[in-house]
Amino acid sequence: MKIYKYLIETPGSTHIMDHLTDIVSTGLDVNNNPCVWAVYDEKVPKKYFQINAVGTGWELDKYINNNDKYLGIINDGEYIWHIIKSSGEKCHVMEEK
């Protein structure tokens, strides 16, 4: 097993398909790119993840549901992004900015 970094869109949705067991952290990398860090294990089947970056004050009902998992925040200068792993029920591209 290893920890891998995945760049994410802010605002928006990022789709990841890889041999991941879980997403363990959110934040900015050394180049100030918004990212999630995930446990990679080539022994497990590839799994689909959708990561949503939702701005403070946005209508959450439009983008997430009760089965989604709140992963944390990313403080990106003037913006605070709430990073949410989708359960798949509302997987679509986010249009609000």
Side-chain angles (χ1 to χ4, degrees), residues 5 7-8 10 27-35 74-77:
K5 174 182 79 174
L7 298 176
I8 62 170
T10 55
L28 298 174
D29 68 8
V30 296
N31 296 313
N32 287 322
N33 296 310
C35 301
I74 294 177
N75 185 340
D76 188 12

Side-chain angles (χ1 to χ4, degrees), residues 8-15 50-53 90-94:
I8 62 170
E9 294 291 324
T10 55
S13 297
T14 302
H15 304 270
Q50 178 175 317
I51 309 301
N52 295 323
K90 292 188 180 180
C91 289
H92 63 279
V93 176
M94 298 168 58

Side-chain angles (χ1 to χ4, degrees), residues 1 3-4 14 16 19 21 23 28 30 44 49 55 57 60 66 72 76 79-80 88 95:
M1 288 192 294
I3 300 281
Y4 280 178
T14 302
I16 301 169
H19 301 277
T21 61
I23 296 171
L28 298 174
V30 296
V44 301
F49 289 87
L60 292 179
N66 291 335
D76 188 12
Y79 299 103
I80 300 291
E95 63 275 347

Side-chain angles (χ1 to χ4, degrees), residues 22-26 36 50-57 60 64-75 80-87:
D22 201 11
I23 296 171
V24 295
S25 185
T26 66
V36 295
Q50 178 175 317
I51 309 301
N52 295 323
V54 179
T56 299
L60 292 179
I64 66 170
N65 64 61
N66 291 335
N67 297 322
D68 293 350
K69 180 180 177 187
Y70 189 89
L71 299 173
I73 65 164
I74 294 177
N75 185 340
I80 300 291
W81 301 109
H82 303 273
I83 310 303
I84 299 158
K85 180 174 76 171
S86 176
S87 64

